[in-house]
Amino acid sequence: MRKLAFTTALTMLAAPAMAQDDCGEVSITEMNWASASVVTNVANFIMEQGYGCDVSIVPSDTVPSVTSVAENGEPDIVTELWVNLTGDVYDRLIEEGRVEELGPVLVPGAIDGWWIPTYLAEEHPELTTIEGVLDNPDLVGGMFHNCPEGWGCRVVNDNLLPAFGVADAGIEVFDHGSGETLATSMASAYESEEPWFGYYWAPTSLLGQYDMTKVDLGEYDEQAYSAAQNPDAEDVGRTSFPDAPVATAVTTEFSEQHPDLAEFLSNMSFEVETMNGIVAWMEENSASGEEGAVYFLTNNQDTWSGWINDAARENLSQVLEQ
């Protein structure tokens, strides 16, 4: 029954849009992690079925997406954008009036940092600070699990790791080739109750599924963190990770040409607890981002119906009743 229901729902996602004013072609990023895939597929469905758009989904990551907008003026929409990982390029695009930040897509925001399993923290409380980790590299497995190339967190980590002297303390920095292997390393260690030390973020199914403790890196230094976002930075100081606003941004040209879509995207926001539930459901059911979007759309109509205008609401009501 579940498979039949989702086959029907996924067919609905691909169904022709209802006739209305021509929206034209629209491009939107899909970052390569679960919550971002859900956001993109929800936006895709609403824009196609509610507003009559022809949507192109562009696989991307934080840094490449902002670079593409700077160099090519596309894609039109960058969503689940971790603003604190975008560096100076994003700030310049905003200042130049080429990009408009529409608002938070995750409420109240997201968290990222360096983590260890809570069972390890309880057994060795000294590991809850970076000083304790550096003094006891063997207790964390002698390895730091780093982000894949192209992720904003990779740039920041590559600057902060030498700032804290992680490699000098005898901890090997392992650069993961994908988000999947990074996640697998945590899950495998946790299920075997082995040491693990590395970067991760929320909302994610893993931090909902596994009890992890964030390592205290000390005070947040805005200047040091700003420098850490520059891949060519030198002599970056120590800092913790700041609170992480996660936004939807669009090119100014798109916003001016599609004010109705800009309004919808401004309204589109997910409570972090809701998103944790969606990505946990996806993990439990080996579901895709499309299926996660269907799960949200079918269980949260009161939420997303408030994001859109009357015409789109009418179009979607007809599609959903089919």
Side-chain angles (χ1 to χ4, degrees):
M1 289 297 292
R2 172 189 174 275
K3 201 66 179 176
L4 176 61
F6 272 89
T7 299
T8 302
L10 289 170
T11 300
M12 176 187 75
L13 278 172
M18 303 297 295
Q20 59 174 313
D21 293 340
D22 183 23
C23 165
E25 297 183 355
V26 173
S27 56
I28 183 173
T29 57
E30 181 176 17
M31 309 300 190
N32 63 348
W33 54 86
S35 60
S37 183
V38 172
V39 171
T40 294
N41 280 284
V42 167
N44 173 45
F45 172 71
I46 291 176
M47 287 191 293
E48 287 195 335
Q49 303 301 328
Y51 293 87
C53 303
D54 179 9
V55 181
S56 297
I57 295 177
V58 182
S60 192
D61 287 313
T62 304
V63 174
S65 66
V66 174
T67 302
S68 179
V69 172
E71 295 178 352
N72 308 310
E74 56 185 26
D76 300 309
I77 306 164
V78 180
T79 194
E80 195 149 334
L81 182 66
W82 287 50
V83 176
N84 65 318
L85 297 177
T86 55
D88 295 337
V89 175
Y90 181 68
D91 291 339
R92 189 178 74 247
L93 290 171
I94 295 288
E95 291 173 1
E96 293 174 353
R98 297 166 61 190
V99 164
E100 181 179 344
E101 187 174 306
L102 297 182
V105 71
L106 292 177
V107 178
I111 56 173
D112 58 341
W114 297 352
W115 306 78
I116 60 172
T118 296
Y119 56 74
L120 194 62
E122 291 175 346
E123 185 176 358
H124 301 284
E126 65 273 23
L127 298 179
T128 58
T129 68
I130 188 61
E131 291 79 13
V133 169
L134 298 176
D135 288 342
N136 300 277
D138 292 343
L139 294 181
V140 295
M143 180 177 291
F144 177 87
H145 294 269
N146 201 7
C147 302
E149 186 71 33
W151 288 25
C153 55
R154 173 64 176 272
V155 175
V156 173
N157 286 340
D158 283 354
N159 280 314
L160 292 186
L161 287 164
F164 282 101
V166 171
D168 292 340
I171 298 175
E172 176 188 357
V173 177
F174 183 82
D175 299 326
H176 281 272
S178 68
E180 287 76 12
T181 63
L182 177 61
T184 298
S185 70
M186 180 194 290
S188 177
Y190 200 99
E191 291 170 3
S192 300
E193 294 193 5
E194 295 175 349
W196 190 91
F197 172 48
Y199 173 91
Y200 222 73
W201 75 99
T204 53
S205 62
L206 284 187
L207 290 189
Q209 185 177 358
Y210 301 121
D211 188 4
M212 302 291 289
T213 294
K214 191 175 180 180
V215 175
D216 184 356
L217 301 182
E219 295 184 0
Y220 169 61
D221 184 319
E222 183 177 0
Q223 183 175 357
Y225 191 82
S226 178
Q229 298 175 73
N230 182 354
D232 299 319
E234 297 180 358
D235 299 324
V236 173
R238 295 187 175 193
T239 178
S240 63
F241 287 78
D243 295 337
V246 183
T248 296
V250 299
T251 64
T252 302
E253 181 180 0
F254 172 86
S255 179
E256 292 172 348
Q257 292 179 351
H258 301 284
D260 52 346
L261 294 181
E263 181 181 11
F264 151 58
L265 293 167
S266 296
N267 294 332
M268 183 180 68
S269 64
F270 300 77
E271 295 287 339
V272 170
E273 288 187 5
T274 299
M275 185 58 75
N276 276 336
I278 297 169
V279 296
W281 176 88
M282 289 167 61
E283 181 74 19
E284 293 168 3
N285 292 277
S286 300
S288 66
E290 278 190 325
E291 290 176 310
V294 170
Y295 179 80
F296 171 79
L297 289 164
T298 54
N299 289 285
N300 297 273
Q301 187 164 348
D302 289 345
T303 298
W304 60 258
S305 63
W307 299 343
I308 57 182
N309 62 29
D310 291 340
R313 195 176 298 111
E314 174 64 22
N315 291 331
L316 286 165
S317 68
Q318 294 180 47
V319 172
L320 294 171
E321 289 172 0
Q322 292 179 1

